Amino acid sequence: MEVRVAAKAGFCFGVKRAMEMALDTVLKKEGPIFSLGLLIHNPQAVEYLAKKGIKEINDLDEINEGTLIIRSHGVGPGSLHIARDKGLDIVDATCPFVRRAQVLASDLISEGYQVVVVGDRKHPEVQGIIGWTAGKAIVVENAEEAVFIDQYRKIGVVAQTTQPLENFEAVIKVISERNKEVRACNTICSATSERQQAASELARQVDAMVVVGGKNSANTRKLFSLCSKSGTPTFLVETAGELNQAWFQGVKVVGLTAGASTPDWIIEEVKSRMSEFEEMNNREEGMEEAVEVKAVRNGQVLKGMVVHVGQDEVMVDVGAKSEGVIPIRELSCC
Ligand code: SF4
């Protein structure tokens, strides 16, 4: 069984950078270290970071000292002010692509534009961008919602970095039909679409697909859904321990992809476990071949090899499960 890994899989630039900054913080900083929200949407990586001493908090009210890591999704300026006022040591791991969206949204507001953010209004990245517009941004998820936006003198549009380009363009189209001055700022990062495209392409070329990632990770679930849609049997696992050997019976080529928050070490574990399955399946197939027996029916004439001649009987190997036994008295000599 050949294991093919998607051309783009696993950590994106922003998550990798945030992980490295977090681990670097552990080495360099004294005292307690916190992350505001989950640093990464992967339970095993979170557990690993917790063992390293990074504790997750959901509200700045929970702490008054120590180092605070801002995750790749970023936060609004309000959270940064509170953290500074508390004297926290801030390690800002906001992804530069997210930071660009924040800065553009903030600039648009300063220049008198009504800001529209295309994305998931509950997502922390979108919440952070809204913060950089002093809470004035309107959020729409799609073109259907954009129809209800009032008319403004000037409208500036930014996107949650993981948005599909088609959705962003559809929203721009609707807004442009109803407003004179529209400034569209494409803040979409290509990491998500590249991973999705690579996974879909691979799923069409293989007999089975394995998607590795946190079940709480939206981009992992999206990869799973895209691969499943290709018609190829697709399995979602968080760790190598969840793999089932039976999934790979008769599979010649299996594809492997992973969400943007899946660490390399988990991908490697899954890959090596699948290689073990290959060896086990090969061994079992070999054993099956070894014990394969001929079915013998009444009246059938068989050729065989005499393997033993005793006083009263002759044993003949006819390729069946056991040798045939012929009493000597039933044999005739010419
Ligand atoms: S998906 Fe893109 S924007 Fe989001 S963290 Fe990764 S690299 Fe940054």
Side-chain angles (χ1 to χ4, degrees):
M1 183 173 73
E2 181 193 344
V3 180
R4 275 188 216 163
V5 181
K8 297 273 180 182
F11 273 179
C12 64
F13 159 75
V15 172
K16 185 165 187 272
R17 178 175 171 272
M19 268 300 262
E20 285 169 358
M21 286 175 80
L23 294 173
D24 196 47
T25 303
V26 171
L27 293 177
K28 292 185 179 156
K29 303 278 183 185
E30 302 270 310
I33 302 171
F34 305 96
S35 76
L36 187 53
L38 276 182
L39 199 60
I40 179 168
H41 282 162
N42 183 279
Q44 290 70 36
V46 168
E47 198 183 318
Y48 175 74
L49 291 169
K51 278 187 192 147
K52 292 275 175 192
I54 300 175
K55 188 170 181 283
E56 180 208 341
I57 55 161
N58 292 310
D59 198 302
L60 287 170
D61 286 346
E62 295 173 44
I63 55 168
N64 287 309
E65 57 169 4
T67 301
L68 179 73
I69 303 172
I70 306 293
R71 58 186 171 177
S72 57
H73 296 321
V75 292
S79 299
L80 291 174
H81 287 151
I82 294 171
R84 280 192 200 111
D85 286 349
K86 284 183 176 237
L88 302 176
D89 192 355
I90 299 171
V91 174
D92 190 353
T94 304
C95 174
F97 296 121
V98 175
R99 183 71 196 124
R100 178 172 169 262
Q102 294 175 344
V103 170
L104 281 168
S106 173
D107 289 351
L108 285 167
I109 282 286
S110 308
E111 292 168 32
Y113 285 83
Q114 169 59 52
V115 172
V116 173
V117 184
V118 184
D120 172 359
R121 53 179 58 82
K122 290 196 195 121
H123 195 282
E125 179 191 319
V126 173
Q127 293 290 322
I129 295 172
I130 296 171
W132 287 94
T133 64
K136 292 179 187 160
I138 298 167
V139 182
V140 290
E141 295 201 356
N142 48 43
E144 287 74 43
E145 287 186 15
V147 172
F148 298 104
I149 297 175
D150 288 337
Q151 289 184 317
Y152 291 91
R153 195 171 54 81
K154 303 200 286 186
I155 287 201
V157 190
V158 298
Q160 182 182 349
T161 53
T162 49
Q163 278 292 298
L165 181 62
E166 313 78 62
N167 193 44
F168 178 68
E169 288 177 342
V171 170
I172 297 292
K173 186 167 179 283
V174 168
I175 293 176
S176 300
E177 281 164 5
R178 307 179 67 240
N179 294 273
K180 275 209 182 83
E181 187 177 339
V182 179
R183 197 194 296 177
C185 305
N186 181 348
T187 49
I188 295 169
C189 147
S190 57
T192 307
S193 57
E194 282 172 357
R195 272 155 188 71
Q196 291 175 356
Q197 198 181 335
S200 295
E201 274 170 21
L202 184 58
R204 287 194 293 271
Q205 299 163 13
V206 296
D207 305 315
M209 270 305 282
V210 172
V211 180
V212 193
K215 286 166 189 158
N216 60 343
S217 153
N219 76 78
T220 300
R221 289 200 308 270
K222 180 73 182 172
L223 289 176
F224 174 71
S225 133
L226 283 172
C227 295
S228 302
K229 271 188 199 153
S230 72
T232 301
T234 303
F235 308 98
L236 172 61
V237 296
E238 280 189 355
T239 63
E242 293 175 18
L243 290 168
N244 184 339
Q245 191 183 350
W247 298 342
F248 307 106
Q249 290 287 352
V251 167
K252 289 202 166 53
V253 187
V254 62
L256 179 61
T257 188
S261 45
T262 310
D264 285 351
W265 86 76
I266 296 182
I267 301 174
E268 279 310 313
E269 276 173 13
V270 168
K271 204 174 154 197
S272 100
R273 184 77 182 127
M274 290 201 297
S275 302
E276 283 171 26
F277 284 159
E278 182 192 2
E279 280 170 30
M280 285 154 77
N281 283 346
N282 285 347
R283 229 178 293 140
E284 280 170 17
E285 274 169 25
M287 282 167 70
E288 274 168 24
E289 275 168 23
V291 297
E292 197 179 331
V293 292
K294 277 187 194 167
V296 180
R297 50 177 207 279
N298 282 341
Q300 189 180 359
V301 178
L302 294 170
K303 270 189 183 175
M305 183 191 287
V306 174
V307 291
H308 171 78
V309 179
Q311 251 186 323
D312 302 317
E313 80 286 311
V314 170
M315 295 178 81
V316 183
D317 179 3
V318 290
K321 205 168 183 178
S322 55
E323 286 81 23
V325 181
I326 306 170
I328 287 276
R329 63 187 141 76
E330 289 184 15
L331 292 175
S332 61
C333 294
C334 307

PDB file of all heavy atoms in Angstrom, residues 12-15 72 95 97-98 125 161-162 189 191-192, ligand 1:
ATOM      1  N   CYS A  12      -0.088  25.585   8.817  1.00  0.00           N
ATOM      2  CA  CYS A  12       0.087  26.716   7.903  1.00  0.00           C
ATOM      3  C   CYS A  12       1.160  27.620   8.516  1.00  0.00           C
ATOM      4  O   CYS A  12       1.565  27.432   9.669  1.00  0.00           O
ATOM      5  CB  CYS A  12      -1.225  27.479   7.743  1.00  0.00           C
ATOM      6  SG  CYS A  12      -1.783  28.230   9.274  1.00  0.00           S
ATOM      7  N   PHE A  13       1.574  28.599   7.754  1.00  0.00           N
ATOM      8  CA  PHE A  13       2.637  29.500   8.199  1.00  0.00           C
ATOM      9  C   PHE A  13       2.310  30.143   9.554  1.00  0.00           C
ATOM     10  O   PHE A  13       3.139  30.166  10.472  1.00  0.00           O
ATOM     11  CB  PHE A  13       2.839  30.577   7.111  1.00  0.00           C
ATOM     12  CG  PHE A  13       3.505  31.818   7.603  1.00  0.00           C
ATOM     13  CD1 PHE A  13       4.871  31.833   7.853  1.00  0.00           C
ATOM     14  CD2 PHE A  13       2.775  32.975   7.843  1.00  0.00           C
ATOM     15  CE1 PHE A  13       5.490  32.982   8.326  1.00  0.00           C
ATOM     16  CE2 PHE A  13       3.382  34.123   8.312  1.00  0.00           C
ATOM     17  CZ  PHE A  13       4.747  34.123   8.556  1.00  0.00           C
ATOM     18  N   GLY A  14       1.065  30.647   9.685  1.00  0.00           N
ATOM     19  CA  GLY A  14       0.701  31.399  10.895  1.00  0.00           C
ATOM     20  C   GLY A  14       0.659  30.528  12.140  1.00  0.00           C
ATOM     21  O   GLY A  14       1.082  30.951  13.220  1.00  0.00           O
ATOM     22  N   VAL A  15       0.149  29.291  12.003  1.00  0.00           N
ATOM     23  CA  VAL A  15       0.046  28.395  13.161  1.00  0.00           C
ATOM     24  C   VAL A  15       1.440  27.896  13.558  1.00  0.00           C
ATOM     25  O   VAL A  15       1.775  27.822  14.745  1.00  0.00           O
ATOM     26  CB  VAL A  15      -0.912  27.219  12.847  1.00  0.00           C
ATOM     27  CG1 VAL A  15      -0.884  26.190  13.960  1.00  0.00           C
ATOM     28  CG2 VAL A  15      -2.328  27.737  12.649  1.00  0.00           C
ATOM     29  N   SER A  72      -2.657  33.070  16.848  1.00  0.00           N
ATOM     30  CA  SER A  72      -2.577  33.543  15.457  1.00  0.00           C
ATOM     31  C   SER A  72      -3.841  34.271  14.997  1.00  0.00           C
ATOM     32  O   SER A  72      -3.787  35.105  14.107  1.00  0.00           O
ATOM     33  CB  SER A  72      -2.288  32.367  14.517  1.00  0.00           C
ATOM     34  OG  SER A  72      -3.279  31.378  14.657  1.00  0.00           O
ATOM     35  N   CYS A  95      -1.051  36.121  13.411  1.00  0.00           N
ATOM     36  CA  CYS A  95      -0.506  35.836  12.074  1.00  0.00           C
ATOM     37  C   CYS A  95      -0.399  37.155  11.289  1.00  0.00           C
ATOM     38  O   CYS A  95      -1.338  37.964  11.302  1.00  0.00           O
ATOM     39  CB  CYS A  95      -1.425  34.862  11.344  1.00  0.00           C
ATOM     40  SG  CYS A  95      -0.905  34.606   9.645  1.00  0.00           S
ATOM     41  N   PHE A  97      -0.861  37.769   8.299  1.00  0.00           N
ATOM     42  CA  PHE A  97      -1.972  37.939   7.347  1.00  0.00           C
ATOM     43  C   PHE A  97      -3.222  38.463   8.063  1.00  0.00           C
ATOM     44  O   PHE A  97      -3.972  39.266   7.518  1.00  0.00           O
ATOM     45  CB  PHE A  97      -2.293  36.610   6.648  1.00  0.00           C
ATOM     46  CG  PHE A  97      -1.165  36.110   5.791  1.00  0.00           C
ATOM     47  CD1 PHE A  97      -0.578  34.882   6.030  1.00  0.00           C
ATOM     48  CD2 PHE A  97      -0.672  36.876   4.743  1.00  0.00           C
ATOM     49  CE1 PHE A  97       0.464  34.421   5.251  1.00  0.00           C
ATOM     50  CE2 PHE A  97       0.372  36.428   3.957  1.00  0.00           C
ATOM     51  CZ  PHE A  97       0.949  35.192   4.210  1.00  0.00           C
ATOM     52  N   VAL A  98      -3.426  37.983   9.290  1.00  0.00           N
ATOM     53  CA  VAL A  98      -4.562  38.467  10.083  1.00  0.00           C
ATOM     54  C   VAL A  98      -4.305  39.922  10.475  1.00  0.00           C
ATOM     55  O   VAL A  98      -5.197  40.776  10.418  1.00  0.00           O
ATOM     56  CB  VAL A  98      -4.760  37.596  11.350  1.00  0.00           C
ATOM     57  CG1 VAL A  98      -5.865  38.168  12.232  1.00  0.00           C
ATOM     58  CG2 VAL A  98      -5.073  36.153  10.968  1.00  0.00           C
ATOM     59  N   GLU A 125     -11.089  35.437  15.083  1.00  0.00           N
ATOM     60  CA  GLU A 125     -10.363  36.335  14.167  1.00  0.00           C
ATOM     61  C   GLU A 125     -11.264  37.503  13.752  1.00  0.00           C
ATOM     62  O   GLU A 125     -10.837  38.666  13.731  1.00  0.00           O
ATOM     63  CB  GLU A 125      -9.911  35.551  12.922  1.00  0.00           C
ATOM     64  CG  GLU A 125      -9.168  36.432  11.928  1.00  0.00           C
ATOM     65  CD  GLU A 125      -8.941  35.746  10.589  1.00  0.00           C
ATOM     66  OE1 GLU A 125      -8.606  34.546  10.569  1.00  0.00           O
ATOM     67  OE2 GLU A 125      -9.114  36.422   9.563  1.00  0.00           O
ATOM     68  N   THR A 161      -9.553  35.687   6.952  1.00  0.00           N
ATOM     69  CA  THR A 161      -8.474  35.166   6.093  1.00  0.00           C
ATOM     70  C   THR A 161      -8.764  33.794   5.480  1.00  0.00           C
ATOM     71  O   THR A 161      -8.187  33.449   4.458  1.00  0.00           O
ATOM     72  CB  THR A 161      -7.158  35.070   6.887  1.00  0.00           C
ATOM     73  OG1 THR A 161      -7.401  34.318   8.070  1.00  0.00           O
ATOM     74  CG2 THR A 161      -6.616  36.434   7.236  1.00  0.00           C
ATOM     75  N   THR A 162      -9.651  33.029   6.111  1.00  0.00           N
ATOM     76  CA  THR A 162      -9.905  31.667   5.617  1.00  0.00           C
ATOM     77  C   THR A 162     -11.122  31.580   4.694  1.00  0.00           C
ATOM     78  O   THR A 162     -11.560  30.484   4.344  1.00  0.00           O
ATOM     79  CB  THR A 162     -10.114  30.712   6.812  1.00  0.00           C
ATOM     80  OG1 THR A 162     -11.050  31.319   7.697  1.00  0.00           O
ATOM     81  CG2 THR A 162      -8.822  30.455   7.555  1.00  0.00           C
ATOM     82  N   CYS A 189      -6.118  34.558   2.913  1.00  0.00           N
ATOM     83  CA  CYS A 189      -4.808  33.907   2.891  1.00  0.00           C
ATOM     84  C   CYS A 189      -4.943  32.626   2.074  1.00  0.00           C
ATOM     85  O   CYS A 189      -5.961  31.937   2.160  1.00  0.00           O
ATOM     86  CB  CYS A 189      -4.415  33.620   4.330  1.00  0.00           C
ATOM     87  SG  CYS A 189      -3.472  32.150   4.560  1.00  0.00           S
ATOM     88  N   ALA A 191      -3.411  29.803   2.310  1.00  0.00           N
ATOM     89  CA  ALA A 191      -3.093  28.521   2.973  1.00  0.00           C
ATOM     90  C   ALA A 191      -4.294  27.571   2.984  1.00  0.00           C
ATOM     91  O   ALA A 191      -4.162  26.381   2.690  1.00  0.00           O
ATOM     92  CB  ALA A 191      -2.619  28.769   4.396  1.00  0.00           C
ATOM     93  N   THR A 192      -5.465  28.108   3.299  1.00  0.00           N
ATOM     94  CA  THR A 192      -6.646  27.252   3.411  1.00  0.00           C
ATOM     95  C   THR A 192      -7.038  26.688   2.050  1.00  0.00           C
ATOM     96  O   THR A 192      -7.239  25.474   1.904  1.00  0.00           O
ATOM     97  CB  THR A 192      -7.824  28.060   3.998  1.00  0.00           C
ATOM     98  OG1 THR A 192      -7.376  28.650   5.209  1.00  0.00           O
ATOM     99  CG2 THR A 192      -9.020  27.193   4.267  1.00  0.00           C
TER     100      THR A 192
HETATM  101  S1  SF4 B   1      -4.607  30.212   7.677  1.00  0.00           S
HETATM  102 FE1  SF4 B   1      -3.395  31.892   6.820  1.00  0.00          FE
HETATM  103  S2  SF4 B   1      -4.043  33.657   7.969  1.00  0.00           S
HETATM  104 FE2  SF4 B   1      -4.707  31.922   9.142  1.00  0.00          FE
HETATM  105  S3  SF4 B   1      -3.047  31.528  10.545  1.00  0.00           S
HETATM  106 FE3  SF4 B   1      -2.665  30.271   8.771  1.00  0.00          FE
HETATM  107  S4  SF4 B   1      -1.315  31.485   7.481  1.00  0.00           S
HETATM  108 FE4  SF4 B   1      -2.243  32.869   8.959  1.00  0.00          FE
END
